Amino acid sequence: MRAIAYAALPAELVLAVCLIGGVRIPGPVLLGGELLMLVLVGAEAFVWLRLRRRGLSRGEALGELVPEPVLRLVGHELRLMTSLVRWVARRPHGVEGAGAVFPHARDQAPMMYGFAFVCLVETVGMSFLLAHWPVVHAVVLVLDVYTVLFVLGLHAASVTRPHVLADGVLRVRQAAHVDVRVPLDRIVWIRRETRFTHEKADGELNLDVGSQTSVTLELTGPVDAPRLLGAPRPVRLIRLHADDPKALHDAVTRARTAPSPVYEASGAGWSASSK
């Protein structure tokens, strides 16, 4: 089924491009292409039901039907679009019960707004240039509008997904594609360190914002920071940025050195005190 899908989807794209370009496609070819897609969708639905009857959850069944890279790409796009809604509603993601929250999108805002403005100007210009080709104009307009939403979604994801410190874990995030949980007991040291150049190296993760990082973490052992398509990426050094790097540094330092509770006997039972 996947082999058929890999052949059918590009064929559908070629047919769409030909139709937009005014190429006359024989009726039997169009009919065959549509029938192939209907058969493919019907087969996918049939296999979905069989997998569900075997006891697989919805996520597991979907993982069997759709390759992981495709799921990750679709999930990334959905997170960007939902981030726009969260941004407008002022509802950050994953901050419930957090001990501390550290925004990190401020320094990239002018650049992202600039990109969005350029894309908007390009959209208006292409609308005038393609006014006499309505089909091409409609396709390009959809692509241009989505590009504007994509750029704004990247910034919205950074705004609504700050770094979070909670329950002995520092959750490090960037836009909608990086979400790494770093246990505090794995942090060897943390220091404030402003860097504007970042060379790629094995075992290092650079989460620069506005081309800069301001906090560096070194870990006792690697944590997994999966790539966009799911490939594993063990890292032992993480450089990240925060709008207030001092607050992040001090909060993590305090959490790592917090006194552990010592239980003492009292007349009414046991009471906890910190030493």
Side-chain angles (χ1 to χ4, degrees), residues 32-113:
E34 297 308 314
L35 286 176
L36 179 61
M37 292 302 299
L38 288 175
V39 170
L40 182 62
V41 171
E44 292 276 353
F46 175 73
V47 175
W48 165 274
L49 292 175
R50 289 191 61 184
L51 292 174
R52 292 286 288 155
R53 288 171 182 171
R54 290 180 185 175
L56 273 67
S57 65
R58 292 181 180 178
E60 292 171 340
L62 191 61
E64 289 289 332
L65 287 172
V66 184
E68 183 181 3
V70 176
L71 284 177
R72 284 185 167 271
L73 284 175
V74 173
H76 178 260
E77 300 300 304
L78 291 176
R79 287 192 295 273
L80 290 183
M81 296 303 108
T82 55
S83 293
L84 287 170
V85 178
R86 286 182 172 274
W87 190 25
V88 173
R90 298 181 180 273
R91 295 185 59 186
H93 175 272
V95 300
E96 296 80 6
V101 176
F102 309 100
H104 54 82
R106 181 184 61 198
D107 293 335
Q108 75 173 14
M111 178 180 65
M112 301 304 291
Y113 292 148

Side-chain angles (χ1 to χ4, degrees), residues 118-130 137 141 144:
V118 170
C119 292
L120 185 61
V121 171
E122 190 263 348
T123 300
V124 175
M126 292 301 294
S127 295
F128 281 106
L129 292 174
L130 299 175
H137 172 265
L141 180 62
D144 285 341

